Amino acid sequence: AQKITQTQPGMFVQEKEAVTLDCTYDTSDQSYGLFWYKQPSSGEMIFLIYQGSYDEQNATEGRYSLNFQKARKSANLVISASQLGDSAMYFCAMREPTTDSWGKLQFGAGTQVVVTP
Amino acid sequence: SQTIHQWPATLVQPVGSPLSLECTVEGTSNPNLYWYRQAAGRGLQLLFYSVGIGQISSEVPQNLSASRPQDRQFILSSKKLLLSDSGFYLCAWRAGRRADSPLHFGNGTRLTVT
């Protein structure tokens, strides 16, 4: 069964605007972690931000922030002040449970973001 | 600092030919290692992971196999490639065992089976 759902296959955003990328997840564990990655056209996967299920505050990392709504099982990524270099595929991923020493990540299908001048 | 090397960057192979993709990590010891595959325009599918030398777990049974002959070396192999094996293969390693430790990925190998 799909554990991570990213419903937006593609989005256009204007430079300097903010964009929100949706991610919902399914788990029965109380302890889990959520990750966001960026994949430019070159293919490498770049880690952006992490949110733990027990974290009381929403994670922030520079222009990236996470809108974590545990009851709704959503972990949306917000990119503020978009730049042309933000054009890429963005993936939401989950690690469950956090005590899993294997550390496997399950990924969503991704959202393609295109930033326009 | 830690780095991950993955090669080759691109590969075109005929159906039925063997495959060997190699991944090495530098600057760390006893990492968890992972092989993911990404079909065109899709998310990443975990193929294999390893927590130590000779310890391989498979997520998706298929004609691919993985081996870890050394602590920081992870190899993805096939004896006979299928058309469906085409895709973008990514090797990754995990920094530590903390819950918030992300996976760090190599630059990937784009495999086309013809």
Side-chain angles (χ1 to χ4, degrees):
Chain A
Q2 184 130 358
K3 296 269 190 174
I4 302 286
T5 303
Q6 295 181 255
T7 56
Q8 308 151 309
M11 297 184 72
F12 286 91
V13 59
Q14 273 204 311
E15 208 175 356
K16 299 178 186 176
E17 296 290 311
V19 61
T20 298
L21 308 182
D22 295 340
C23 173
T24 57
Y25 57 90
D26 181 29
T27 181
S28 56
D29 290 302
Q30 296 302 308
S31 179
Y32 52 89
L34 297 155
F35 299 76
W36 276 92
Y37 282 81
K38 172 184 178 180
Q39 187 181 41
S41 56
S42 53
E44 77 265 33
M45 294 285 285
I46 303 167
F47 166 65
L48 297 177
I49 196 167
Y50 166 83
Q51 179 82 45
S53 59
Y54 290 122
D55 293 342
E56 294 184 353
Q57 306 238 337
N58 286 342
T60 61
E61 196 69 51
R63 293 187 298 109
Y64 303 107
S65 61
L66 244 161
N67 182 3
F68 181 49
Q69 298 186 45
K70 194 170 180 177
R72 297 180 62 183
K73 294 188 176 177
S74 74
N76 300 337
L77 177 71
V78 180
I79 306 174
S80 62
S82 295
Q83 303 171 356
L84 295 177
D86 293 334
S87 293
M89 195 77 161
Y90 289 82
F91 291 97
C92 180
M94 178 171 64
R95 172 179 293 152
E96 52 159 0
T98 51
T99 52
D100 177 5
S101 63
W102 310 137
K104 297 177 287 181
L105 289 183
Q106 299 177 73
F107 285 82
T111 296
Q112 181 71 49
V113 173
V114 176
V115 181
T116 58
Chain B
S1 64
Q2 302 95 344
T3 54
I4 180 169
H5 302 279
Q6 193 180 338
W7 67 93
T10 59
L11 192 59
V12 180
Q13 293 282 101
V15 167
S17 64
L19 173 73
S20 180
L21 302 181
E22 190 163 341
C23 171
T24 59
V25 181
E26 294 178 359
T28 187
S29 59
N30 195 30
N32 281 7
L33 296 171
Y34 310 82
W35 278 111
Y36 281 86
R37 178 171 64 195
Q38 183 179 25
R42 305 287 295 277
L44 277 68
Q45 178 188 36
L46 179 63
L47 300 176
F48 300 95
Y49 61 97
S50 171
V51 299
I53 296 174
Q55 299 178 60
I56 309 294
S57 294
S58 172
E59 286 286 305
V60 184
Q62 51 198 323
N63 68 317
L64 299 173
S65 62
S67 61
R68 185 170 176 173
Q70 299 180 46
D71 182 44
R72 293 185 294 268
Q73 184 185 29
F74 205 22
I75 298 171
L76 183 70
S77 304
S78 174
K79 292 182 179 177
K80 288 186 178 182
L81 283 168
L82 306 173
L83 286 175
S84 57
D85 292 324
S86 292
F88 190 53
Y89 289 82
L90 288 152
C91 180
W93 70 280
R94 183 187 184 190
R97 301 291 187 267
R98 286 166 52 104
D100 61 350
S101 58
L103 299 190
H104 296 280
F105 288 83
N107 288 335
T109 295
R110 203 163 298 278
L111 172 66
T112 303
V113 182
T114 59

